Amino acid sequence: MPNNENKGNKGKPTKTRRQPFKLKPNETIDYKQVDILLSFSTEHGKIKSRRSTGLTLKQQRQLSKAIKRARYLHLLPFVTSVEN
């Protein structure tokens, strides 16, 4: 039996996690940056998870607060309608 380094994957190749949204650690997220906020929300208007965005906990909290403020000021929609 060969000595496998990665026994948890059962022979499947591992995927490297990519960082689709790169923000500097000291960069703040503002509610007026609508184009950035749209990239962190799904097409249905939901906020993407921290796991999928790759943000730190502090940045994710800033992001959710900024998206909620932008929604309240009608800069972003609460829900987008999907028509079939």
Side-chain angles (χ1 to χ4, degrees):
M1 179 177 237
N3 188 5
N4 289 336
E5 296 283 326
N6 201 354
K7 293 181 181 181
N9 277 344
K10 297 184 181 181
K12 295 179 185 176
T14 59
K15 289 184 180 180
T16 58
R17 186 181 279 190
R18 54 178 207 172
Q19 303 280 336
F21 308 105
K22 208 61 163 164
L23 289 176
K24 296 177 183 128
N26 56 358
E27 188 175 349
T28 59
I29 301 168
D30 194 20
Y31 69 94
K32 293 177 265 187
Q33 300 168 332
V34 178
D35 52 339
I36 293 175
L37 296 178
L38 282 173
S39 66
F40 286 107
S41 62
T42 63
E43 59 270 357
H44 296 292
K46 296 170 77 173
I47 301 172
K48 290 184 181 177
S49 68
R50 182 176 159 226
R51 184 175 173 189
S52 64
T53 59
L55 295 177
T56 63
L57 181 61
K58 188 174 183 180
Q59 288 174 333
Q60 184 71 22
R61 286 184 186 142
Q62 286 177 351
L63 173 73
S64 63
K65 194 175 280 192
I67 288 178
K68 290 173 186 178
R69 281 183 183 160
R71 285 177 181 165
Y72 181 73
L73 295 172
H74 297 287
L75 299 174
L76 288 177
F78 279 95
V79 178
T80 59
S81 62
V82 179
E83 296 187 24
N84 295 331

PDB file of all heavy atoms in Angstrom, residues 28-34 36-37 47 59-73 75-76:
ATOM      1  N   THR A  28     -10.784  50.371   4.070  1.00  0.00           N
ATOM      2  CA  THR A  28     -12.141  50.370   4.606  1.00  0.00           C
ATOM      3  C   THR A  28     -13.145  50.268   3.467  1.00  0.00           C
ATOM      4  O   THR A  28     -12.879  50.708   2.346  1.00  0.00           O
ATOM      5  CB  THR A  28     -12.426  51.646   5.417  1.00  0.00           C
ATOM      6  OG1 THR A  28     -12.250  52.777   4.564  1.00  0.00           O
ATOM      7  CG2 THR A  28     -11.505  51.744   6.611  1.00  0.00           C
ATOM      8  N   ILE A  29     -14.284  49.711   3.764  1.00  0.00           N
ATOM      9  CA  ILE A  29     -15.352  49.538   2.787  1.00  0.00           C
ATOM     10  C   ILE A  29     -16.418  50.571   3.109  1.00  0.00           C
ATOM     11  O   ILE A  29     -16.909  50.642   4.238  1.00  0.00           O
ATOM     12  CB  ILE A  29     -15.916  48.118   2.855  1.00  0.00           C
ATOM     13  CG1 ILE A  29     -14.806  47.107   2.596  1.00  0.00           C
ATOM     14  CG2 ILE A  29     -17.038  47.944   1.846  1.00  0.00           C
ATOM     15  CD1 ILE A  29     -15.179  45.692   2.906  1.00  0.00           C
ATOM     16  N   ASP A  30     -16.785  51.372   2.126  1.00  0.00           N
ATOM     17  CA  ASP A  30     -17.730  52.455   2.334  1.00  0.00           C
ATOM     18  C   ASP A  30     -19.033  52.151   1.601  1.00  0.00           C
ATOM     19  O   ASP A  30     -19.029  51.487   0.561  1.00  0.00           O
ATOM     20  CB  ASP A  30     -17.130  53.760   1.820  1.00  0.00           C
ATOM     21  CG  ASP A  30     -17.877  54.981   2.292  1.00  0.00           C
ATOM     22  OD1 ASP A  30     -18.599  54.871   3.296  1.00  0.00           O
ATOM     23  OD2 ASP A  30     -17.733  56.043   1.655  1.00  0.00           O
ATOM     24  N   TYR A  31     -20.138  52.653   2.122  1.00  0.00           N
ATOM     25  CA  TYR A  31     -21.438  52.387   1.511  1.00  0.00           C
ATOM     26  C   TYR A  31     -21.612  53.119   0.189  1.00  0.00           C
ATOM     27  O   TYR A  31     -22.490  52.780  -0.599  1.00  0.00           O
ATOM     28  CB  TYR A  31     -22.571  52.764   2.483  1.00  0.00           C
ATOM     29  CG  TYR A  31     -22.719  54.247   2.724  1.00  0.00           C
ATOM     30  CD1 TYR A  31     -23.608  55.006   1.970  1.00  0.00           C
ATOM     31  CD2 TYR A  31     -21.994  54.891   3.708  1.00  0.00           C
ATOM     32  CE1 TYR A  31     -23.755  56.359   2.191  1.00  0.00           C
ATOM     33  CE2 TYR A  31     -22.137  56.228   3.942  1.00  0.00           C
ATOM     34  CZ  TYR A  31     -23.016  56.972   3.172  1.00  0.00           C
ATOM     35  OH  TYR A  31     -23.157  58.307   3.403  1.00  0.00           O
ATOM     36  N   LYS A  32     -20.776  54.117  -0.101  1.00  0.00           N
ATOM     37  CA  LYS A  32     -20.884  54.871  -1.352  1.00  0.00           C
ATOM     38  C   LYS A  32     -20.180  54.173  -2.517  1.00  0.00           C
ATOM     39  O   LYS A  32     -20.350  54.569  -3.658  1.00  0.00           O
ATOM     40  CB  LYS A  32     -20.313  56.274  -1.158  1.00  0.00           C
ATOM     41  CG  LYS A  32     -21.148  57.114  -0.203  1.00  0.00           C
ATOM     42  CD  LYS A  32     -20.518  58.453   0.025  1.00  0.00           C
ATOM     43  CE  LYS A  32     -19.683  58.380   1.257  1.00  0.00           C
ATOM     44  NZ  LYS A  32     -19.143  59.665   1.698  1.00  0.00           N
ATOM     45  N   GLN A  33     -19.409  53.144  -2.244  1.00  0.00           N
ATOM     46  CA  GLN A  33     -18.703  52.402  -3.290  1.00  0.00           C
ATOM     47  C   GLN A  33     -19.610  51.288  -3.812  1.00  0.00           C
ATOM     48  O   GLN A  33     -19.409  50.108  -3.553  1.00  0.00           O
ATOM     49  CB  GLN A  33     -17.408  51.827  -2.736  1.00  0.00           C
ATOM     50  CG  GLN A  33     -16.458  52.871  -2.206  1.00  0.00           C
ATOM     51  CD  GLN A  33     -15.328  52.260  -1.419  1.00  0.00           C
ATOM     52  OE1 GLN A  33     -15.473  51.197  -0.832  1.00  0.00           O
ATOM     53  NE2 GLN A  33     -14.195  52.939  -1.403  1.00  0.00           N
ATOM     54  N   VAL A  34     -20.596  51.673  -4.598  1.00  0.00           N
ATOM     55  CA  VAL A  34     -21.638  50.742  -5.023  1.00  0.00           C
ATOM     56  C   VAL A  34     -21.081  49.635  -5.904  1.00  0.00           C
ATOM     57  O   VAL A  34     -21.489  48.477  -5.781  1.00  0.00           O
ATOM     58  CB  VAL A  34     -22.767  51.513  -5.749  1.00  0.00           C
ATOM     59  CG1 VAL A  34     -23.835  50.571  -6.251  1.00  0.00           C
ATOM     60  CG2 VAL A  34     -23.367  52.546  -4.820  1.00  0.00           C
ATOM     61  N   ILE A  36     -18.156  48.222  -5.821  1.00  0.00           N
ATOM     62  CA  ILE A  36     -17.475  47.226  -4.987  1.00  0.00           C
ATOM     63  C   ILE A  36     -18.496  46.399  -4.210  1.00  0.00           C
ATOM     64  O   ILE A  36     -18.379  45.178  -4.103  1.00  0.00           O
ATOM     65  CB  ILE A  36     -16.480  47.912  -4.028  1.00  0.00           C
ATOM     66  CG1 ILE A  36     -15.337  48.531  -4.837  1.00  0.00           C
ATOM     67  CG2 ILE A  36     -15.933  46.931  -3.008  1.00  0.00           C
ATOM     68  CD1 ILE A  36     -14.363  49.326  -4.012  1.00  0.00           C
ATOM     69  N   LEU A  37     -19.526  47.059  -3.687  1.00  0.00           N
ATOM     70  CA  LEU A  37     -20.545  46.350  -2.919  1.00  0.00           C
ATOM     71  C   LEU A  37     -21.309  45.353  -3.780  1.00  0.00           C
ATOM     72  O   LEU A  37     -21.684  44.281  -3.310  1.00  0.00           O
ATOM     73  CB  LEU A  37     -21.519  47.349  -2.284  1.00  0.00           C
ATOM     74  CG  LEU A  37     -20.929  48.310  -1.257  1.00  0.00           C
ATOM     75  CD1 LEU A  37     -22.000  49.258  -0.765  1.00  0.00           C
ATOM     76  CD2 LEU A  37     -20.283  47.576  -0.123  1.00  0.00           C
ATOM     77  N   ILE A  47     -25.834  38.853   0.563  1.00  0.00           N
ATOM     78  CA  ILE A  47     -24.431  39.122   0.852  1.00  0.00           C
ATOM     79  C   ILE A  47     -23.665  37.800   0.805  1.00  0.00           C
ATOM     80  O   ILE A  47     -24.071  36.822   1.414  1.00  0.00           O
ATOM     81  CB  ILE A  47     -24.278  39.785   2.230  1.00  0.00           C
ATOM     82  CG1 ILE A  47     -25.052  41.096   2.281  1.00  0.00           C
ATOM     83  CG2 ILE A  47     -22.810  40.031   2.544  1.00  0.00           C
ATOM     84  CD1 ILE A  47     -25.106  41.727   3.657  1.00  0.00           C
ATOM     85  N   GLN A  59     -13.304  43.012   7.987  1.00  0.00           N
ATOM     86  CA  GLN A  59     -13.742  43.486   6.678  1.00  0.00           C
ATOM     87  C   GLN A  59     -15.145  42.992   6.349  1.00  0.00           C
ATOM     88  O   GLN A  59     -15.938  43.718   5.752  1.00  0.00           O
ATOM     89  CB  GLN A  59     -12.768  43.034   5.593  1.00  0.00           C
ATOM     90  CG  GLN A  59     -11.455  43.751   5.625  1.00  0.00           C
ATOM     91  CD  GLN A  59     -10.475  43.169   4.634  1.00  0.00           C
ATOM     92  OE1 GLN A  59     -10.549  41.988   4.285  1.00  0.00           O
ATOM     93  NE2 GLN A  59      -9.541  43.975   4.188  1.00  0.00           N
ATOM     94  N   GLN A  60     -15.471  41.753   6.740  1.00  0.00           N
ATOM     95  CA  GLN A  60     -16.799  41.219   6.459  1.00  0.00           C
ATOM     96  C   GLN A  60     -17.862  41.986   7.236  1.00  0.00           C
ATOM     97  O   GLN A  60     -18.950  42.236   6.729  1.00  0.00           O
ATOM     98  CB  GLN A  60     -16.849  39.728   6.809  1.00  0.00           C
ATOM     99  CG  GLN A  60     -18.153  39.062   6.477  1.00  0.00           C
ATOM    100  CD  GLN A  60     -18.384  38.901   4.990  1.00  0.00           C
ATOM    101  OE1 GLN A  60     -17.442  38.909   4.211  1.00  0.00           O
ATOM    102  NE2 GLN A  60     -19.625  38.737   4.597  1.00  0.00           N
ATOM    103  N   ARG A  61     -17.545  42.370   8.471  1.00  0.00           N
ATOM    104  CA  ARG A  61     -18.488  43.171   9.253  1.00  0.00           C
ATOM    105  C   ARG A  61     -18.688  44.546   8.628  1.00  0.00           C
ATOM    106  O   ARG A  61     -19.809  45.047   8.552  1.00  0.00           O
ATOM    107  CB  ARG A  61     -17.985  43.325  10.683  1.00  0.00           C
ATOM    108  CG  ARG A  61     -18.144  42.078  11.493  1.00  0.00           C
ATOM    109  CD  ARG A  61     -17.717  42.328  12.919  1.00  0.00           C
ATOM    110  NE  ARG A  61     -17.728  41.105  13.684  1.00  0.00           N
ATOM    111  CZ  ARG A  61     -16.829  40.789  14.597  1.00  0.00           C
ATOM    112  NH1 ARG A  61     -15.848  41.630  14.874  1.00  0.00           N
ATOM    113  NH2 ARG A  61     -16.911  39.668  15.262  1.00  0.00           N
ATOM    114  N   GLN A  62     -17.593  45.164   8.167  1.00  0.00           N
ATOM    115  CA  GLN A  62     -17.702  46.451   7.488  1.00  0.00           C
ATOM    116  C   GLN A  62     -18.517  46.322   6.211  1.00  0.00           C
ATOM    117  O   GLN A  62     -19.323  47.193   5.887  1.00  0.00           O
ATOM    118  CB  GLN A  62     -16.320  46.994   7.135  1.00  0.00           C
ATOM    119  CG  GLN A  62     -15.524  47.523   8.291  1.00  0.00           C
ATOM    120  CD  GLN A  62     -14.146  47.981   7.858  1.00  0.00           C
ATOM    121  OE1 GLN A  62     -13.726  47.743   6.720  1.00  0.00           O
ATOM    122  NE2 GLN A  62     -13.420  48.614   8.766  1.00  0.00           N
ATOM    123  N   LEU A  63     -18.299  45.234   5.495  1.00  0.00           N
ATOM    124  CA  LEU A  63     -19.007  45.000   4.245  1.00  0.00           C
ATOM    125  C   LEU A  63     -20.505  44.862   4.470  1.00  0.00           C
ATOM    126  O   LEU A  63     -21.309  45.500   3.784  1.00  0.00           O
ATOM    127  CB  LEU A  63     -18.471  43.742   3.564  1.00  0.00           C
ATOM    128  CG  LEU A  63     -19.240  43.282   2.331  1.00  0.00           C
ATOM    129  CD1 LEU A  63     -18.969  44.212   1.171  1.00  0.00           C
ATOM    130  CD2 LEU A  63     -18.879  41.871   1.990  1.00  0.00           C
ATOM    131  N   SER A  64     -20.901  44.053   5.440  1.00  0.00           N
ATOM    132  CA  SER A  64     -22.323  43.846   5.673  1.00  0.00           C
ATOM    133  C   SER A  64     -22.989  45.129   6.153  1.00  0.00           C
ATOM    134  O   SER A  64     -24.106  45.449   5.744  1.00  0.00           O
ATOM    135  CB  SER A  64     -22.556  42.715   6.666  1.00  0.00           C
ATOM    136  OG  SER A  64     -22.006  43.033   7.907  1.00  0.00           O
ATOM    137  N   LYS A  65     -22.296  45.898   6.978  1.00  0.00           N
ATOM    138  CA  LYS A  65     -22.852  47.168   7.441  1.00  0.00           C
ATOM    139  C   LYS A  65     -22.989  48.156   6.280  1.00  0.00           C
ATOM    140  O   LYS A  65     -23.987  48.871   6.163  1.00  0.00           O
ATOM    141  CB  LYS A  65     -21.961  47.754   8.531  1.00  0.00           C
ATOM    142  CG  LYS A  65     -22.611  48.875   9.302  1.00  0.00           C
ATOM    143  CD  LYS A  65     -21.730  49.324  10.443  1.00  0.00           C
ATOM    144  CE  LYS A  65     -21.881  48.361  11.600  1.00  0.00           C
ATOM    145  NZ  LYS A  65     -21.263  48.887  12.834  1.00  0.00           N
ATOM    146  N   ALA A  66     -21.986  48.184   5.392  1.00  0.00           N
ATOM    147  CA  ALA A  66     -22.026  49.092   4.246  1.00  0.00           C
ATOM    148  C   ALA A  66     -23.128  48.704   3.265  1.00  0.00           C
ATOM    149  O   ALA A  66     -23.821  49.570   2.726  1.00  0.00           O
ATOM    150  CB  ALA A  66     -20.676  49.102   3.541  1.00  0.00           C
ATOM    151  N   ILE A  67     -23.322  47.403   3.032  1.00  0.00           N
ATOM    152  CA  ILE A  67     -24.379  46.956   2.123  1.00  0.00           C
ATOM    153  C   ILE A  67     -25.745  47.301   2.693  1.00  0.00           C
ATOM    154  O   ILE A  67     -26.641  47.765   1.984  1.00  0.00           O
ATOM    155  CB  ILE A  67     -24.234  45.449   1.830  1.00  0.00           C
ATOM    156  CG1 ILE A  67     -23.038  45.202   0.917  1.00  0.00           C
ATOM    157  CG2 ILE A  67     -25.502  44.895   1.189  1.00  0.00           C
ATOM    158  CD1 ILE A  67     -22.772  43.760   0.606  1.00  0.00           C
ATOM    159  N   LYS A  68     -25.920  47.104   4.002  1.00  0.00           N
ATOM    160  CA  LYS A  68     -27.206  47.425   4.621  1.00  0.00           C
ATOM    161  C   LYS A  68     -27.487  48.923   4.586  1.00  0.00           C
ATOM    162  O   LYS A  68     -28.628  49.335   4.359  1.00  0.00           O
ATOM    163  CB  LYS A  68     -27.234  46.897   6.061  1.00  0.00           C
ATOM    164  CG  LYS A  68     -27.290  45.385   6.106  1.00  0.00           C
ATOM    165  CD  LYS A  68     -27.157  44.860   7.513  1.00  0.00           C
ATOM    166  CE  LYS A  68     -27.078  43.351   7.516  1.00  0.00           C
ATOM    167  NZ  LYS A  68     -26.895  42.808   8.864  1.00  0.00           N
ATOM    168  N   ARG A  69     -26.465  49.745   4.764  1.00  0.00           N
ATOM    169  CA  ARG A  69     -26.650  51.196   4.661  1.00  0.00           C
ATOM    170  C   ARG A  69     -26.997  51.602   3.237  1.00  0.00           C
ATOM    171  O   ARG A  69     -27.859  52.457   3.021  1.00  0.00           O
ATOM    172  CB  ARG A  69     -25.374  51.922   5.100  1.00  0.00           C
ATOM    173  CG  ARG A  69     -25.215  51.994   6.568  1.00  0.00           C
ATOM    174  CD  ARG A  69     -23.996  52.783   6.938  1.00  0.00           C
ATOM    175  NE  ARG A  69     -23.820  52.774   8.376  1.00  0.00           N
ATOM    176  CZ  ARG A  69     -22.683  53.046   8.987  1.00  0.00           C
ATOM    177  NH1 ARG A  69     -21.603  53.319   8.281  1.00  0.00           N
ATOM    178  NH2 ARG A  69     -22.611  53.031  10.299  1.00  0.00           N
ATOM    179  N   ALA A  70     -26.311  51.008   2.274  1.00  0.00           N
ATOM    180  CA  ALA A  70     -26.575  51.335   0.874  1.00  0.00           C
ATOM    181  C   ALA A  70     -27.980  50.895   0.461  1.00  0.00           C
ATOM    182  O   ALA A  70     -28.640  51.572  -0.319  1.00  0.00           O
ATOM    183  CB  ALA A  70     -25.534  50.675  -0.023  1.00  0.00           C
ATOM    184  N   ARG A  71     -28.450  49.780   0.994  1.00  0.00           N
ATOM    185  CA  ARG A  71     -29.820  49.346   0.724  1.00  0.00           C
ATOM    186  C   ARG A  71     -30.828  50.324   1.305  1.00  0.00           C
ATOM    187  O   ARG A  71     -31.821  50.660   0.673  1.00  0.00           O
ATOM    188  CB  ARG A  71     -30.064  47.957   1.311  1.00  0.00           C
ATOM    189  CG  ARG A  71     -29.442  46.838   0.551  1.00  0.00           C
ATOM    190  CD  ARG A  71     -29.689  45.545   1.273  1.00  0.00           C
ATOM    191  NE  ARG A  71     -29.102  44.401   0.611  1.00  0.00           N
ATOM    192  CZ  ARG A  71     -28.947  43.226   1.181  1.00  0.00           C
ATOM    193  NH1 ARG A  71     -29.328  43.036   2.427  1.00  0.00           N
ATOM    194  NH2 ARG A  71     -28.415  42.227   0.510  1.00  0.00           N
ATOM    195  N   TYR A  72     -30.567  50.788   2.525  1.00  0.00           N
ATOM    196  CA  TYR A  72     -31.483  51.700   3.189  1.00  0.00           C
ATOM    197  C   TYR A  72     -31.569  53.033   2.452  1.00  0.00           C
ATOM    198  O   TYR A  72     -32.627  53.648   2.384  1.00  0.00           O
ATOM    199  CB  TYR A  72     -31.025  51.919   4.639  1.00  0.00           C
ATOM    200  CG  TYR A  72     -31.928  52.831   5.425  1.00  0.00           C
ATOM    201  CD1 TYR A  72     -33.174  52.388   5.846  1.00  0.00           C
ATOM    202  CD2 TYR A  72     -31.541  54.124   5.736  1.00  0.00           C
ATOM    203  CE1 TYR A  72     -34.013  53.221   6.556  1.00  0.00           C
ATOM    204  CE2 TYR A  72     -32.373  54.956   6.444  1.00  0.00           C
ATOM    205  CZ  TYR A  72     -33.606  54.508   6.856  1.00  0.00           C
ATOM    206  OH  TYR A  72     -34.434  55.337   7.560  1.00  0.00           O
ATOM    207  N   LEU A  73     -30.457  53.477   1.866  1.00  0.00           N
ATOM    208  CA  LEU A  73     -30.431  54.728   1.115  1.00  0.00           C
ATOM    209  C   LEU A  73     -30.802  54.539  -0.353  1.00  0.00           C
ATOM    210  O   LEU A  73     -30.671  55.465  -1.143  1.00  0.00           O
ATOM    211  CB  LEU A  73     -29.040  55.357   1.215  1.00  0.00           C
ATOM    212  CG  LEU A  73     -28.644  55.807   2.615  1.00  0.00           C
ATOM    213  CD1 LEU A  73     -27.186  56.220   2.648  1.00  0.00           C
ATOM    214  CD2 LEU A  73     -29.526  56.949   3.059  1.00  0.00           C
ATOM    215  N   LEU A  75     -29.310  52.900  -2.669  1.00  0.00           N
ATOM    216  CA  LEU A  75     -28.202  52.810  -3.614  1.00  0.00           C
ATOM    217  C   LEU A  75     -28.087  51.396  -4.167  1.00  0.00           C
ATOM    218  O   LEU A  75     -27.601  51.199  -5.280  1.00  0.00           O
ATOM    219  CB  LEU A  75     -26.891  53.209  -2.934  1.00  0.00           C
ATOM    220  CG  LEU A  75     -26.817  54.636  -2.377  1.00  0.00           C
ATOM    221  CD1 LEU A  75     -25.536  54.841  -1.609  1.00  0.00           C
ATOM    222  CD2 LEU A  75     -26.951  55.641  -3.501  1.00  0.00           C
ATOM    223  N   LEU A  76     -28.536  50.425  -3.381  1.00  0.00           N
ATOM    224  CA  LEU A  76     -28.567  49.025  -3.787  1.00  0.00           C
ATOM    225  C   LEU A  76     -29.984  48.500  -3.594  1.00  0.00           C
ATOM    226  O   LEU A  76     -30.679  48.929  -2.670  1.00  0.00           O
ATOM    227  CB  LEU A  76     -27.622  48.173  -2.917  1.00  0.00           C
ATOM    228  CG  LEU A  76     -26.132  48.319  -3.108  1.00  0.00           C
ATOM    229  CD1 LEU A  76     -25.400  47.457  -2.108  1.00  0.00           C
ATOM    230  CD2 LEU A  76     -25.733  47.926  -4.498  1.00  0.00           C
TER     231      LEU A  76
END
